[in-house]
Amino acid sequence: MQLTLVLPGGTEDVYEITGDATYEALIDHVHAALGRRDVLLKTGDGAVTAESWTGLSDGDRVLVEIPPEPERQGRGIEEALVALEGARRAIDCLTKAAITEMKNLRTPPPKVEKTCKAVATILGDPFPKGWPDLKKMVGDLHFLNRLKDTDPNTLKPANMRRARPLLSGADMTVDEVARVSRAAADLAQWAHAMDTFHRTAAELNGAAAT
């Protein structure tokens, strides 16, 4: 199924919805195109939200708007909370078997390695030199609990800045990572949620999230 996103200025962008697509992944796609997540999505039937987006049909045109400042802040908070809830669900669904399968990869796809490197960076682990270091991280018995227990308010801005380039680009959305690994996609959803929360908090505090 495909949607046509009408971006500010009239540019059109086609977004393909796969079977396991999420609203967060749609916002990730918009972020890759515009560099921002605090947007309003609308169709002729009204606003597109995390609750209503599954009602979209193949070929629908979705207008992407940048909201006024006060509405933008409220929208940003909502998106951050939705992202965090999605991250919690993703980690809850992430099994030790899936982690073990990913850990046993001798040469992982680049998207898997970049995702794990971003997670390690966000967590504040020593910057990994390569896949052997990342395998130790995901293979740790307490790894999933570390993700579940992470308080996004305590994340260091420097670590988020280092992780952000690893998550950027149309090839690093949750949907794209899921094409090569479901476990890595769940980790990517967690990492993107932490980034969304950090950006929103920085904007609300009047700081530049860069």
Side-chain angles (χ1 to χ4, degrees), residues 133-152:
D133 293 334
L134 295 169
K135 287 173 64 174
K136 292 179 183 177
M137 175 189 72
V138 300
D140 186 274
L141 292 176
H142 304 292
F143 176 61
L144 292 181
N145 284 334
R146 288 184 69 193
L147 299 180
K148 292 177 183 179
D149 295 340
T150 296
D151 181 353

Side-chain angles (χ1 to χ4, degrees), residues 30 74 79 81 83 85 103 125 139 152 160 166 202:
V30 173
E79 295 296 346
L81 294 177
E85 181 58 31
K103 184 184 69 173
D125 288 354
M160 298 307 304
L166 297 168

Side-chain angles (χ1 to χ4, degrees), residues 28-47:
D28 284 343
H29 183 86
V30 173
H31 175 250
L34 297 180
R36 62 193 307 161
R37 300 175 186 274
D38 54 334
V39 295
L40 296 173
L41 305 182
K42 297 180 180 178
T43 66
D45 296 324

Side-chain angles (χ1 to χ4, degrees), residues 15 24-29 31-32 37 109-119 163-181 184-193 195:
Y15 176 66
E24 291 88 349
L26 173 59
I27 296 298
D28 284 343
H29 183 86
H31 175 250
R37 300 175 186 274
K111 295 175 185 177
V112 173
E113 185 165 355
K114 284 177 69 176
T115 297
C116 291
K117 190 175 290 187
V119 170
R164 193 162 295 132
L166 297 168
L167 299 170
S168 63
D171 64 326
M172 288 303 294
T173 64
V174 175
D175 281 351
E176 286 298 317
V177 176
R179 294 178 185 273
V180 295
S181 169
D186 289 336
L187 294 180
Q189 186 166 346
W190 179 90
H192 279 293
D195 183 45

Side-chain angles (χ1 to χ4, degrees), residues 46-61:
V48 178
T49 66
E51 291 74 29
S52 68
W53 86 283
T54 53
L56 295 173
S57 303
D58 185 37
D60 276 355
R61 294 173 63 82

Side-chain angles (χ1 to χ4, degrees), residues 84 88 146-156 190 194 197:
L84 287 179
R88 293 189 183 99
R146 288 184 69 193
L147 299 180
K148 292 177 183 179
D149 295 340
T150 296
D151 181 353
N153 290 294
T154 65
L155 298 176
K156 295 182 178 179
W190 179 90
M194 297 302 112
F197 186 94

Side-chain angles (χ1 to χ4, degrees), residues 82-139:
V82 168
L84 287 179
E85 181 58 31
R88 293 189 183 99
R89 289 197 303 268
I91 299 305
D92 285 341
C93 293
L94 190 56
T95 65
K96 292 183 179 179
I99 287 289
T100 299
E101 181 180 348
M102 184 173 63
K103 184 184 69 173
N104 289 338
L105 293 171
R106 294 187 62 185
T107 305
K111 295 175 185 177
V112 173
E113 185 165 355
K114 284 177 69 176
T115 297
C116 291
K117 190 175 290 187
V119 170
T121 304
I122 291 171
L123 290 173
D125 288 354
F127 198 70
K129 296 180 180 179
W131 184 237
D133 293 334
L134 295 169
K135 287 173 64 174
K136 292 179 183 177
M137 175 189 72
V138 300

